[in-house]
């Protein structure tokens, strides 16, 4: 979870780390965006919905509030169920998607970065993933590939940089230092994301070749982990485990308007609210949101078991892709 | 945090673990309740506000939604600030309040129960407290009081029972078993509470001699930890570390109505909403709350450091009281 | 790991939690013990050696320093290797052995106790196992067997009682309290054991129907977890993860004598030492062991990964047996 | 704890991370070493013995098996006792010693590195220390010194790099990367050390301006954290929390010889052993040491509470020095 100042500023906008949700907000308005290509498929046997969003140009990037690149989403409603066989299927699908982004004919070296705070349960996804990885770099360097009994061995290293309150450093500073020193071919960053809707929590994996881009992601790559800042391609894998508390209130507002529309006595009121433009809505919500909600998040009570399980599913996917 | 079914049923009621908040909701309506005595004081030097709520009879209990007994609240706005000296003052005040509830002229034996889930950060307050306690029971039993170099030694034991999803057992079953076997004079249960308002999070300590009473607490003592269920007096110490997600929405609704009252164009609407009776409000909120919010909680992003610090403050208070 | 006083007293005896090691010390002396039956088999495909030691009467118990009952040992040299498929085979074999001790035609209720200190890595085996169990008791009690989609559901509960320094209570007090309150048909206790030899560390699983019996186990059942103390059958499952530091020294002594035997110049010395009786040896070792070694243990540097993996293997075995 | 190959090679030499122990081994032999200056003092009130060893030239370095520089040892027999006031005294003394090595008239920026494996209890000292530090760098960078209400603010950052088995990278690679990127004036590395003698475990703090130098430290600075490898001065603070298992055996050997000297019947044997030169001794010990002891360590059973307490004492010392 990113905790930079920008986030607070856009708290009343369509705030989501998921391209698939950014896309939906346009679909609601029946708007088609130039420069954004969407492709959906469904694997019935595994009950996994795969959505590929390609942001082709700056116009699309501006509209979506996300940098140009590929965003693949795996949606699996049963991902919260602790069924080992089912999670193996998800890991396999994740491995397939990773292989589409990283050509593995030749050996590659990959640094896997577990973002987030291991002491805050819903934010511990990244650290959890790195704990379960098959790390090979030190073995190959010390004993050669033969030690692992294979002809082709990908060089996997991992790091859990911690969060700024614990280190005093930005994640980028730590990761850039390590990348400059160890020169991996690729960085894969794992992070817990913020979703817009509670119904997507812990049920969606997003894989993107644009890296991690806090804030709107457009025009501000300063603190992100991406090709521009690290000089190697960065793939980001994330699962939404929290919703910003302010988003919940925003949703309520929307629901209220809809509810009013449909309630006889309230139709006039709902209608009135509906005529508000974005700015007026913003002003109204600003007034009714408690200032204490900034920096708060919403998460399920059983998040401990869910994060542990999802962390394992992602690490297995990575282990499958690279072994 | 309790996770029983009753909670869900009353999700739209005034839902709070804090007597001081239950009281406030009546004050807002300018209602005085028979059978409830309130006494407030303020320690200027330490900036601690102390509120004592006494529920004297069944009428008060019904109105407050809490069992008869004493509820003391220490409110300290700076409790979230990591200032060791200030936290020592809070620990001292807590020790004083504990001594008012447990006469310590004679030696006593006390079992301290750390409720909650150590794997979910805001729910790990109880386990954190037990980790920092001065446990003496085993030393006294094996080597006598002399081993601790004192004439008078209180017998302190501690347990972290875990939550039902981990044990398959109700907390009461575990604690009752241990109490029957080890026969302490008192039980002190530490728990993370749910507040009604985000502004009280991590700033308030509640001490009560009524024990832990999930749900409304009136008429249903089945799963509680209290004198009735354990056959020894139970003191509960809690700090609100979360707000139920549904409460946030409820608050927003209230704020919306207030905001509308004061906004020129919306006055009519606000007025209309205000005329709704409780049932109509309930219906409206029911419609606008996402069903996905059940079982969700709201908590600050830096909850890891806060819970660690507050756990230490409570355990120091207990150590001061009993050593 | 047990930390009672008795242990210290027998620190210079054949000190081991493993029946298979107690047996070996007799074999070295070519002694056959009446009342002890030994049966060995080897599963070639899985490379698992299975030894069954049956102590039939008090004579055998006295000789072995262990209570009457069945002791099954699974020895697998590759158990320290992180190979998922191999560990699945071990889990299966463990499940088979458990089914031999607990008849599962009818539904049973089982309380699984994770002994040891979760804060000390080699002692965290028990807590690790309980974390990964499929706990069913609360689901069945609240929603019925149907909720789990089966006709027959075993009722599994679990507890991590902690160690005396943390709780002030003996493990038996906590477990007895919980057993009396929840009345399981069986208790299964998981514990990290002390081996006599470093070469057996993390490579052996012992399953016994005699429960946990600290000290010699003969004549002193006071603090053990067993049928006598808990009134339900107790099965203990353990893996040696440490060697007592004093044992290392004892072994060195033995090796020294052997080495001297074979070294030309030292033959006389070795011979002299060999003529010492047990008491003289004891006196000599007593002099050369540093008193600082009491309460110390020896364990491998990578014990963190090993304990995590072995804990998972045992919990999978239990899940297979009861699901 | 370092786990490089060199360590294994010198397993039968005087193996210790403590300069004060290296010194002692010479004193036993009544040898005075040119190029090594020793200065001892004792603070009676706090019961802290302070030994300063200065290795002045390459001759001293070779003899001591440690690089040139200053080594200060604080020895406090009561350091294992959980007495808050006493530990505050140790923290103060530690702060004083740090101030002697880092001139603090001007503001300095310091990166504090918590070495070791947080999953292995006796090796978690470094991570424990970093968790309790007052980290200031991010606050000063974002809000300026004023945010901390002071004119002079030292810039403190911290990192827990993890161990090679978890990251696939050498500690040096990670720390060098972060140092190059964030350019601190000083690095302070905290590490759990290996002592030669169990009686020094958890009772000694060593502070040195030579950094961390695995292996003999002379001539091989490749993997160390020091001025040469990081280009900034490196101060190392360590507490011995383990003894190498092989050392225990070595000690036993020595004790055995001494015991034999004093036992009537064994005098001849002891005498014989005493005439062995180092190489013969080495051969003998080699034969009697189990090969399984390599990579094993010895540590006390209550190491969890001790490490937590000592970690807090060091972090408080650092906080005092820099705030």
């Amino acid at each position: 979870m990113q905790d930079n100042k920008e986030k607070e500023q856009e708290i009343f906008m369509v705030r989501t780390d998921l391209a698939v949700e950014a896309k939906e907000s346009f679909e609601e308005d029946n708007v088609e965006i130039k420069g954004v290509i969407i492709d959906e498929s469904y694997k019935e046997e595994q009950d996994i919905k795969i959505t590929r969003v390609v942001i082709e140009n700056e116009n699309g990037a501006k509209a979506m509030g996300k940098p140009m690149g590929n965003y693949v989403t795996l949606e699996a409603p049963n991902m919260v169920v602790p069924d080992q066989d089912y999670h193996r299927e998800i890991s396999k699908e994740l491995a397939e998607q990773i292989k589409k982004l990283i050509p593995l004919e030749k050996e590659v070296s990959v640094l896997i970065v577990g973002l987030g705070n291991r002491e805050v349960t819903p934010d511990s996804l990244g650290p959890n993933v790195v704990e379960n990885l098959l790390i090979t770099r030190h073995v190959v360097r010390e004993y050669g590939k033969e030690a692992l009994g294979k002809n082709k061995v990908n060089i996997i290293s991992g790091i859990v940089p911690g969060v700024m309150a614990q280190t005093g450093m930005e994640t980028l500073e730590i990761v850039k230092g390590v990348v400059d020193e160890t020169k991996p071919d690729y960085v894969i960053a794992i992070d817990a994301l913020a979703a817009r809707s509670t119904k997507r929590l812990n049920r969606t994996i997003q894989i993107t070749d644009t890296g991690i881009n806090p804030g709107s992601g457009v025009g501000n790559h300063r603190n992100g982990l991406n090709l521009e800042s690290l000089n190697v391609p960065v793939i980001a894998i994330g699962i939404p485990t929290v919703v910003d508390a302010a988003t919940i209130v925003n949703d309520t507002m929307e629901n209220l308007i809809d509810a009013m529309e449909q309630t006889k006595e309230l139709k006039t009121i709902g209608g009135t609210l509906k005529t508000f433009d974005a700015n007026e809505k913003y002003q109204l919500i600003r007034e009714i949101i408690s200032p204490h909600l900034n920096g708060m998040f919403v998460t399920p009570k059983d998040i401990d078991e869910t994060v542990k399980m999802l962390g394992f599913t992602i690490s297995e996917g990575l282990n499958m892709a690279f072994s």
Side-chain angles (χ1 to χ4, degrees), chain A:
Chain A
M1 290 189 283
Q2 296 293 334
D3 45 1
N4 62 327
K5 282 172 303 179
E6 291 158 71
K7 197 177 215 169
E8 290 175 25
Q9 287 159 7
E10 19 145 23
I11 217 155
F12 308 107
M13 287 185 51
V14 182
R15 162 71 191 151
T16 174
D17 288 331
L18 294 172
V20 77
E21 287 188 336
K23 171 189 77 87
E24 276 170 1
S25 71
F26 287 105
E27 284 170 354
E28 279 166 22
D29 302 345
N30 284 316
V31 174
E32 202 176 308
I33 315 159
K34 280 187 185 163
V36 179
I37 295 172
I38 290 153
D39 173 58
E40 294 183 358
S41 63
Y42 178 62
K43 298 208 169 178
E44 194 163 356
E45 208 181 335
Q46 299 98 320
D47 191 15
I48 302 178
K49 184 180 167 190
I50 303 173
T51 308
R52 181 177 298 272
V53 176
V54 186
I55 303 183
E56 288 188 313
N57 56 31
E58 278 302 329
N59 182 60
K62 210 179 271 177
M64 295 282 284
K66 308 214 162 294
M68 285 188 282
N70 295 287
Y71 300 83
V72 176
T73 316
L74 310 182
E75 287 174 84
N78 293 323
M79 220 157 98
V80 289
V81 180
D83 173 339
Q84 282 186 27
D85 294 333
Y86 183 61
H87 278 262
R88 198 179 307 260
E89 291 302 319
I90 300 174
S91 297
K92 271 187 203 162
E93 186 58 44
L94 176 59
E96 287 314 308
Q97 296 296 337
I98 292 166
K99 286 177 186 169
K100 284 185 188 167
L101 296 176
I102 300 185
L104 290 171
E105 302 84 47
K106 288 195 299 182
E107 290 171 1
V108 295
S109 62
V110 182
L111 171 64
I112 300 178
V113 181
L115 297 171
N117 183 350
R118 75 168 86 221
E119 303 297 329
V120 175
T121 318
D123 202 20
S124 65
L125 181 76
N128 258 337
V129 168
V130 171
E131 263 174 38
N132 288 310
L133 288 175
L134 294 178
I135 298 292
T136 59
R137 185 175 179 270
H138 59 305
V139 183
V140 173
R141 277 164 63 101
E142 195 147 346
Y143 306 103
K145 296 177 213 172
E146 301 69 32
L148 294 162
K150 292 180 188 177
N151 290 327
K152 206 188 105 188
V153 178
N154 293 307
I155 306 294
I156 308 298
S157 55
I159 195 164
V160 175
V163 294
M164 202 154 66
Q166 292 160 356
T167 65
M169 298 179 278
E170 299 203 42
T171 301
L172 174 59
E173 293 178 297
I174 297 171
V175 177
K176 185 160 177 45
V178 173
V179 166
D180 287 354
E181 194 67 28
T182 63
K183 305 206 185 327
D185 301 326
Y186 291 88
V187 165
I188 298 184
I190 318 294
D191 200 11
L193 305 179
R196 177 134 187 39
S197 153
T198 52
K199 71 171 194 277
R200 227 181 276 273
L201 283 185
N202 306 318
R203 283 171 179 81
T204 304
I205 303 178
Q206 174 171 280
I207 307 123
T208 172
D209 57 6
T210 59
I212 300 277
N213 299 283
S216 74
V218 180
N220 175 6
H221 291 195
R222 196 177 50 100
N223 290 323
L225 302 182
N226 47 46
L227 178 58
E228 205 174 323
S229 63
L230 292 178
N231 292 320
V232 295
V234 181
I235 290 163
I237 300 176
I239 293 181
T241 61
V242 300
V243 174
D244 273 321
T247 305
I248 298 284
V249 171
N250 194 72
D251 284 359
T252 309
M253 178 71 189
E254 303 281 346
N255 291 343
L256 176 62
I257 294 173
D258 287 355
M260 283 171 161
E261 281 279 277
Q262 282 143 34
T263 313
K264 200 173 52 145
E265 309 88 31
L266 291 175
K267 225 166 205 163
T268 357
I269 312 172
T272 308
L273 289 172
K274 203 123 209 184
T275 61
F276 281 24
D277 64 19
N279 195 45
E280 286 170 314
K281 259 197 209 170
Y282 171 90
Q283 288 302 328
L284 178 59
I285 295 178
R286 222 187 143 79
E287 281 176 65
I288 64 179
I289 282 183
S290 161
H292 291 278
L293 281 186
N294 282 341
M296 300 258 173
F297 63 83
V298 179
T299 202
K301 275 178 191 157
D302 59 356
I303 188 67
D304 55 329
E305 298 185 20
T306 308
V307 158
K308 212 170 124 187
M309 182 175 64
L310 296 179
F312 189 75
T313 301
I314 293 184
S315 59
E316 281 300 287
L318 290 163
N319 291 340
M320 285 175 189
F322 294 116
S323 71

